[in-house]
Amino acid sequence: MHRCIQLAQNGKGFVAPNPMVGAVIVHNDIIIGEGFHRQYGEAHAEVNAVACVKDQSLLEQSTMYVNLEPCSHYGKTPPCTGLIIDKKIPEVVIGCIDPFPEVSGRGIRILQEAGVEVTINVLKEECERLNRRFFTFVQKKRPYIILKWAQSADGFIDKKRNFGDGEKPVRLSNDFTQLYTHKTRAEESAILVGFNTALLDNPALTTRSWNGKNPLRIVLDKDLNIPANFNLLDGNIPTLIYTRKKKEPEKNITYREIEFNKNILPQIMADLYNRNIQSLIVEGGSMLLNSFIQSNLWDEAKVETTSILLNSGVPAPYLKGNLLNVLKCKKSVISQYENRQIP
């Protein structure tokens, strides 16, 4: 099962909104086939594992290990339970049950009714953690939310600036942590910034320093005041703009009306769920990050603390979370937190 988890992670950033799945086929304690879900809409892990078994007759005396319950419904591909039964694989070991209503428990029942011996909940906690984005999306009907910011050693995210004053943002990240940030972007579905961040920083929000797909760019622009020549409006990457004004879509840019006189976060979460956005990075600014924290609407946070002192400026957000790990790189430390307060 550890090998299933290891294989499944190869699909990170490519399979959403599907879960990451790895499968291993064992005959007489020897692995004879393995595979993982490589790309959304393509073959599932079980199919790839079966396909790489050279002697297909051995499948009838083998055990399949898979970190998530095999699917039992027709989606982009046929159900994997049917393949397992057709190949007469006699035993299946499952890491955790799929929370998706059309699958949950049904795949196990179908296998058992066909005479397959099924063992469940092997490394259950590890398997559920692997697909925490998928579980959050299905169970809470919203994206998995990752807060991200860089702060100075004395707790500021930037000096105070105004649009048009010519002041550039303070560069708190170094080359390595910027690479890490772009890697993170490539692994998630979407990235969100507020209006002030878009206006003051003119960010591109791409993965230009990492070989991977760009996330959906999302920005709050109540009155559509972001200048037309800014990066977020270049039309090169799919971009979603939340506004109170009605506007027809342009090249790679979609406008979505929301009510800014009400709490916008539930509106955004519902819309992103309907768009099948499984995970969301919130990169700033301070007001937007604090609104997520105050609403207890976050699952994970990545906070980069540098050795730079600013002495004054825009205070960094403050959160209480369970520290998961710390990555030290040059003169920066990236601390990863998990929200244990979410009901």
Side-chain angles (χ1 to χ4, degrees):
M1 192 59 69
H2 279 299
R3 178 60 176 161
C4 289
I5 293 172
Q6 186 181 45
L7 287 166
Q9 290 173 331
N10 290 317
K12 191 172 185 179
F14 299 99
V15 301
N18 281 354
M20 293 178 282
V21 183
V24 173
I25 300 172
V26 176
H27 178 263
N28 288 342
D29 293 329
I30 296 174
I31 293 177
I32 60 170
E34 59 182 29
F36 63 93
H37 186 28
R38 295 175 177 271
Q39 186 81 39
Y40 175 68
E42 295 184 3
H44 288 188
E46 299 92 327
V47 175
N48 289 330
V50 167
C52 79
V53 175
K54 291 182 179 180
D55 186 351
Q56 293 280 302
S57 67
L58 296 179
L59 291 172
E60 297 182 21
Q61 304 137 39
S62 299
T63 300
M64 174 180 284
Y65 293 79
V66 60
N67 59 283
L68 189 71
E69 177 182 4
C71 65
S72 55
H73 68 294
Y74 280 89
K76 294 283 185 181
T77 60
C80 292
T81 50
L83 174 69
I84 293 168
I85 293 168
D86 290 343
K87 294 295 183 178
K88 299 181 180 178
I89 298 173
E91 184 177 1
V92 176
V93 179
I94 297 169
C96 63
I97 297 173
D98 192 327
F100 190 62
E102 290 187 39
V103 178
S104 189
R106 186 168 177 263
I108 294 170
R109 288 195 301 274
I110 289 173
L111 292 175
Q112 290 174 330
E113 289 169 0
V116 178
E117 182 181 342
V118 179
T119 303
I120 63 172
N121 294 334
V122 174
L123 296 184
K124 178 176 181 287
E125 184 175 340
E126 292 90 333
C127 290
E128 288 181 345
R129 175 156 186 77
L130 168 72
N131 277 307
R132 57 193 182 276
R133 291 162 180 78
F134 177 71
F135 274 71
T136 297
F137 183 77
V138 172
Q139 295 171 339
K140 298 178 180 175
K141 299 189 184 309
R142 65 162 175 81
Y144 183 86
I145 298 167
I146 302 167
L147 309 182
K148 189 272 175 191
W149 72 86
Q151 63 186 31
S152 64
D154 50 355
F156 297 99
I157 61 173
D158 197 2
K159 55 190 174 185
K160 290 187 177 179
R161 297 179 291 131
N162 294 303
F163 181 60
D165 63 12
E167 289 282 346
K168 293 183 178 180
V170 177
R171 189 173 190 263
L172 296 172
S173 299
N174 56 54
D175 291 342
F176 181 86
T177 57
Q178 185 180 55
L179 195 68
Y180 177 82
T181 293
H182 288 203
K183 175 181 180 293
T184 300
R185 290 177 182 176
E187 295 171 345
E188 309 304 340
S189 303
I191 183 168
L192 167 68
V193 295
F195 174 73
N196 285 336
T197 297
L199 201 62
L200 293 174
D201 296 354
N202 189 19
L205 303 183
T206 64
T207 60
R208 57 195 177 277
S209 298
W210 189 262
N211 184 24
K213 67 174 183 60
N214 291 296
L216 171 70
R217 302 186 299 193
I218 307 173
V219 62
L220 306 178
D221 189 0
K222 182 170 67 173
D223 294 311
L224 298 180
N225 286 330
I226 296 175
N229 63 339
F230 269 37
N231 292 323
L232 289 174
L233 301 181
D234 60 17
N236 293 331
I237 298 165
T239 303
L240 173 62
I241 298 178
Y242 287 111
T243 178
R244 67 178 180 179
K245 295 188 174 182
K246 185 176 182 61
K247 187 170 183 179
E248 293 300 314
E250 301 169 353
K251 179 190 174 185
N252 268 336
I253 302 176
T254 301
Y255 297 89
R256 174 71 164 86
E257 288 181 75
I258 59 174
E259 298 180 70
F260 279 82
N261 59 341
K262 298 180 180 179
N263 187 350
I264 64 172
L265 296 187
Q267 299 177 65
I268 291 172
M269 293 302 103
D271 184 58
L272 294 182
Y273 177 77
N274 290 332
R275 294 176 188 272
N276 269 338
I277 301 300
Q278 192 184 89
S279 60
L280 173 70
I281 304 170
V282 182
E283 276 207 7
S286 179
M287 187 181 299
L288 183 62
L289 287 162
N290 277 316
S291 69
F292 276 87
I293 294 169
Q294 290 162 9
S295 299
N296 195 32
L297 192 59
W298 65 281
D299 301 285
E300 190 177 315
K302 298 177 187 289
V303 181
E304 178 183 349
T305 303
T306 75
S307 60
I308 296 172
L309 292 172
L310 292 182
N311 299 314
S312 65
V314 181
Y318 173 76
L319 58 75
K320 293 181 179 179
N322 178 53
L323 182 63
L324 293 178
N325 59 58
V326 174
L327 175 64
K328 296 181 179 180
C329 40
K330 295 184 179 180
K331 295 182 179 181
S332 291
V333 173
I334 299 176
S335 302
Q336 182 180 358
Y337 298 90
E338 181 181 57
N339 187 1
R340 291 282 179 87
Q341 303 174 44
I342 293 178

